[in-house]
């Protein structure tokens, strides 16, 4: 049995709105979410813009402190900003950002970019840096000559490979991947995804994979969680999530994505049309936050926020329809 290395309980992250008329008003970017990630597992966290998925990533990595709840990693509480975390926790949890163009220092060569985490975390002795950097480039399938290049001399996919090599430099156990392929050309997306899957197997890495691309999760994630306005609407093992989606929001998203096989067609939900746009996180609707868009909304949905209900096989859903 694999151990849970991440445990997130009732996590909340609120941001003050600011301004003298908005005293004590907050944007509830994350409003009470729970999930775990096992060693070697990928949890796909999916949602539209404003759902809270990126705030979740930044809170797990320590860029934001938490408002309430807890995050633990290998049994240690890590619900604080990065500067208050121990060096060993920082070494073990790495992040790959969406845009490699802005996450790499343009004035440093690839060698300098990869050397920095080796120095900070004392991964090897300085005389071994060249060999270690060559090994990291091998892992991401880049030629050794690339260590002398600057980011501006690399393509988008190559920059992301360098960013992945930098994350691997500290020999982490977990990586937060914030839309790692969405800024890249379609032609290199598959290469990066396959590389991430191979590296996960080789190093038994745990991934928290943030994306708005639900179809990508079918082949990447072990479990999928879908976020809506700061809460998890549904979380399930990938097969159960795609074959038996229970939340109307999940059904709506799945009904609108293209399928490429008869098997996928068989499980595609009937087309569900949502009403309207995602509300502002500043003005979250009362009751179920999806009630303003849900075609199945009932009177109760406008008043009572549904609780998460767990079905067989760890398939959990937050919807009154599932409790009736
Ligand atoms: Fe729709 Fe009501 Fe379920 Fe919310 S609780 S998803 S509004 S049916």
């Amino acid at each position: 049995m694999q151990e849970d290395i991440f445990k997130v309980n009732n996590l909340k992250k609120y941001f003050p709105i600011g301004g003298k008329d908005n005293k004590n008003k907050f944007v509830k970017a994350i409003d009470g979410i729970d999930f775990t990630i096992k060693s070697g597992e990928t949890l796909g966290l999916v949602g539209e813009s404003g759902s809270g998925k990126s705030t979740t990533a930044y809170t797990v990595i320590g860029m934001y402190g938490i408002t309430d709840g807890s995050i633990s990693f290998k049994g240690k509480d890590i619900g604080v900003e990065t500067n208050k975390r121990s060096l060993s926790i920082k070494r073990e949890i790495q992040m790959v950002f969406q845009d490699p163009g802005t996450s790499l220092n343009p004035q440093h060569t690839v060698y300098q970019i990869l050397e920095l985490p080796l120095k900070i975390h004392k991964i090897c002795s300085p005389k071994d840096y060249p060999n270690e950097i060559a090994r990291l480039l091998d892992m991401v399938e880049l030629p050794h000559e690339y260590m002398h290049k600057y980011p501006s001399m690399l393509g988008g996919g190559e920059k992301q490979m360098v960013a992945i090599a930098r994350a691997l430099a500290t020999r982490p156990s977990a990586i937060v991947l914030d839309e790692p392929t969405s800024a890249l050309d379609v032609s290199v997306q598959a290469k990066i995804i396959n590389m991430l899957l191979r590296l996960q197997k080789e190093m038994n890495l745990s991934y928290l994979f943030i994306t708005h691309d639900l179809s990508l999760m079918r082949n990447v994630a072990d479990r999928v969680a879908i976020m809506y306005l700061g809460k998890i609407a549904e979380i399930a093992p990938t097969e159960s999530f795609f074959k038996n989606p229970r939340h109307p929001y999940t059904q709506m998203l799945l009904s609108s994505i293209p399928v490429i096989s008869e098997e996928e067609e068989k499980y595609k939900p009937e087309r569900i049309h949502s009403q309207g746009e995602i509300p502002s996180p500043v003005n979250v609707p009362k009751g179920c936050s999806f009630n303003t868009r849900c075609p199945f909304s009932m009177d109760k949905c406008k008043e009572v926020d549904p609780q998460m209900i767990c079905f067989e096989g760890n398939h959990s859903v937050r919807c009154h329809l599932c409790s009736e």
Side-chain angles (χ1 to χ4, degrees), residues 97-106 151 159 166:
F97 293 89
Q98 178 177 4
D99 183 359
T102 53
S103 71
L104 302 177
N105 187 333
K159 283 183 202 160
R166 179 178 58 185

Side-chain angles (χ1 to χ4, degrees), residues 299-310:
D299 288 346
K300 183 181 181 183
C301 305
K302 296 180 179 67
E303 297 297 328
V304 185
D305 191 12
Q307 296 301 303
M308 194 64 115
I309 299 168
C310 186

Side-chain angles (χ1 to χ4, degrees), residues 122-166:
K122 299 185 175 62
I123 300 297
C124 57
S125 71
K127 72 174 175 23
D128 293 328
Y129 288 166
N131 282 344
E132 186 63 14
I133 288 166
R135 190 182 75 84
L136 289 166
L137 290 173
D138 285 341
M139 289 174 85
V140 295
E141 300 164 23
L142 286 175
H144 292 180
E145 312 81 89
Y146 273 51
M147 67 176 76
H148 307 298
K149 295 191 181 211
Y150 288 89
S152 59
M153 300 159 80
L154 307 177
E158 291 170 338
K159 283 183 202 160
Q160 196 60 305
M161 290 172 198
V162 173
I164 293 168
R166 179 178 58 185

Side-chain angles (χ1 to χ4, degrees), residues 247-249 288 290-291 294 296-298 301 306 318-321:
H247 196 284
Y249 181 51
C288 169
F290 189 55
N291 84 69
C294 179
F296 310 112
S297 179
M298 309 169 278
C301 305
R318 184 188 285 273
C319 172
H320 290 311
L321 287 176

Side-chain angles (χ1 to χ4, degrees), residues 2-199:
Q2 296 165 305
E3 57 163 336
D4 285 335
I5 66 167
F6 278 110
K7 282 189 186 164
V8 170
N9 284 315
N10 197 26
L11 179 66
K12 297 180 182 172
K13 178 64 192 173
Y14 298 172
F15 296 99
I17 292 176
K20 65 178 179 351
D21 297 336
N22 294 316
K23 225 175 159 197
N24 299 325
K25 284 193 184 164
F26 297 90
V27 175
K28 297 180 176 179
I30 311 174
D31 196 18
I33 64 170
D34 301 270
F35 63 81
T36 57
I37 307 179
K38 291 188 187 306
S39 169
E41 183 186 41
T42 298
L43 174 68
L45 193 57
V46 187
E48 293 171 283
S49 173
S51 62
K53 60 186 189 309
S54 289
T55 305
T56 304
Y58 297 151
T59 308
V60 167
I61 198 73
M63 285 167 71
Y64 300 142
I66 67 175
T67 302
D68 201 2
S70 65
I71 312 175
S72 71
F73 178 76
K74 295 189 173 175
K76 289 184 189 132
D77 180 16
I78 58 161
V80 289
E81 289 99 330
T82 321
N83 59 5
K84 295 179 190 149
R85 291 185 178 182
S86 69
L87 199 59
S88 73
I89 292 291
K90 289 187 215 171
R91 183 191 69 72
E92 287 222 59
I93 311 172
Q94 291 293 311
M95 181 150 184
V96 173
F97 293 89
Q98 178 177 4
D99 183 359
T102 53
S103 71
L104 302 177
N105 187 333
Q107 291 173 336
H108 284 184
T109 61
V110 170
Y111 185 97
Q112 290 170 309
I113 289 168
L114 298 181
E115 183 189 44
L116 193 60
L118 300 179
K119 270 186 189 165
I120 292 172
H121 294 280
K122 299 185 175 62
I123 300 297
C124 57
S125 71
K127 72 174 175 23
D128 293 328
Y129 288 166
N131 282 344
E132 186 63 14
I133 288 166
R135 190 182 75 84
L136 289 166
L137 290 173
D138 285 341
M139 289 174 85
V140 295
E141 300 164 23
L142 286 175
H144 292 180
E145 312 81 89
Y146 273 51
M147 67 176 76
H148 307 298
K149 295 191 181 211
Y150 288 89
S152 59
M153 300 159 80
L154 307 177
E158 291 170 338
K159 283 183 202 160
Q160 196 60 305
M161 290 172 198
V162 173
I164 293 168
R166 179 178 58 185
L168 298 175
T170 65
R171 301 179 187 176
S173 4
I175 304 183
V176 177
L177 301 160
D178 184 17
E179 307 240 22
T181 56
S182 63
L184 304 179
D185 203 86
V186 178
S187 59
V188 293
Q189 287 182 1
K191 184 171 182 187
I192 298 282
I193 292 292
N194 289 336
M195 179 184 295
L196 288 168
L197 293 175
R198 172 180 57 76
L199 292 166

